[in-house]
Amino acid sequence: MTVCTVIGLGEAGATYASALVAAGHQVKGFDPVAPTTPAGVVRASTAAEACLGADVVLVLTGAAAAPAVAAECLPLLAKGSCYADLTSSSPHVMQELSRIPSEADFADVAILGPVPTQGARTPLMVSGPGSEAVAALLAPLGADVEIADGEPGAAMAHKLLRSVLMKGLASVVVEAVTAGRAAGLEEWIREQIARQLAGDGQAVIDRFLVGTAKHAQRRSKEMQDTADFLADDLKVPAEMTTAAAAALSRIASEAAEPVAAVG
């Protein structure tokens, strides 16, 4: 049995706390605002109190609170314990937090999926000296835990790169379906999106990379016309389409720049 502390008992924190209790671990928690405490979790009055005697501390607050929580808790932890930050802090912040004087092993943990739907089985990536402790605790809950090479911040760097795709793709899909609905073509655009997301993913990536560079100028004009259609005719937001037009214009300009002669 591991003595675990969960700082932040919101949706994600409560999910992990409940799963740890169900796995037979002793779980303490702290949250200054969450109205309820998961069954089996002993709720402390401060973060520092919750961390006393902990083998592993999991921090699932908002990123803005991460530095203050680390400053309060890390110095209290004993040698051999682990402090795992699961917030969406930047790689730079993770590196700074790992340098706070402490006997604990620091781990930077990136959550690579939606906890509300996947629960404690959500895939994770972890980096830093506490990686093995995090994997030993959370993998038995059903999570696929990948240990990334590098110091704290490496896991979050991977997550942020993934966010370029996942959050950007989600925003594009929302914009496309919203426009399709306004045009009375929602089912058709849904079919188009589903078709593009299926098949050989690597081939699609290569096609995007080659085709975008080759046809950037023409596609920039097309996307600007598309943005005008969405905004003027359909009266729906077109932020992603407008951004795509600007990006394609930049790519076209870069491709047209002459290469300086050598020698």
Side-chain angles (χ1 to χ4, degrees):
M1 178 183 70
T2 301
V3 179
C4 307
T5 295
V6 178
I7 305 296
L9 296 173
E11 189 170 30
T15 296
Y16 282 102
S18 296
L20 290 167
V21 169
H25 299 295
Q26 180 183 336
V27 183
K28 297 183 290 183
F30 170 73
D31 191 304
V33 296
T36 60
T37 304
V41 176
V42 177
R43 187 160 177 166
S45 58
T46 65
E49 178 187 328
C51 290
L52 293 177
D55 298 315
V56 179
V57 176
L58 304 179
V59 180
L60 290 119
T61 65
V69 172
E72 180 178 357
C73 298
L74 268 167
L76 304 176
L77 300 179
K79 186 175 180 61
S81 63
C82 171
Y83 182 94
D85 190 312
L86 288 82
T87 70
S88 294
S89 300
S90 70
H92 176 70
V93 169
M94 290 293 189
Q95 292 166 9
E96 289 185 340
L97 299 185
S98 72
R99 290 193 284 266
I100 294 175
S102 175
E103 294 292 324
D105 292 327
F106 186 91
D108 154 33
V109 186
I111 301 175
L112 302 179
V115 174
T117 58
Q118 299 185 55
R121 302 175 68 88
T122 305
L124 304 171
M125 178 174 283
V126 56
S127 62
S131 295
E132 295 290 349
V134 172
L137 179 67
L138 300 183
L141 304 182
D144 178 8
V145 183
E146 179 181 356
I147 297 178
D149 292 334
E151 296 301 310
M156 188 52 59
H158 283 76
K159 177 175 180 173
L160 295 185
L161 286 173
R162 182 177 182 272
S163 294
V164 175
L165 169 66
M166 299 307 295
K167 304 311 188 287
L169 177 61
S171 298
V172 168
V173 168
V174 168
E175 188 163 297
V177 172
T178 300
R181 185 179 301 129
L185 297 168
E186 180 176 350
E187 291 306 313
W188 181 84
I189 194 61
R190 281 176 172 267
E191 292 173 2
Q192 293 293 309
I193 294 167
R195 188 177 303 169
Q196 291 300 316
L197 295 178
D200 186 341
Q202 292 295 340
V204 171
I205 292 171
D206 290 339
R207 175 163 58 85
F208 284 169
L209 291 173
V210 174
T212 297
K214 183 177 181 180
H215 303 292
Q217 185 170 359
R218 173 179 60 79
R219 291 179 180 180
S220 176
K221 177 61 168 63
E222 177 182 336
M223 291 303 285
Q224 187 55 61
D225 290 344
T226 303
D228 293 341
F229 171 62
L230 265 60
D232 298 338
D233 295 6
L234 300 181
K235 308 300 182 185
V236 297
E239 294 98 338
M240 299 303 295
T241 306
T242 300
L248 287 164
S249 178
R250 172 185 56 76
I251 293 169
S253 297
E254 291 173 351
E257 290 177 359
V259 178
V262 178

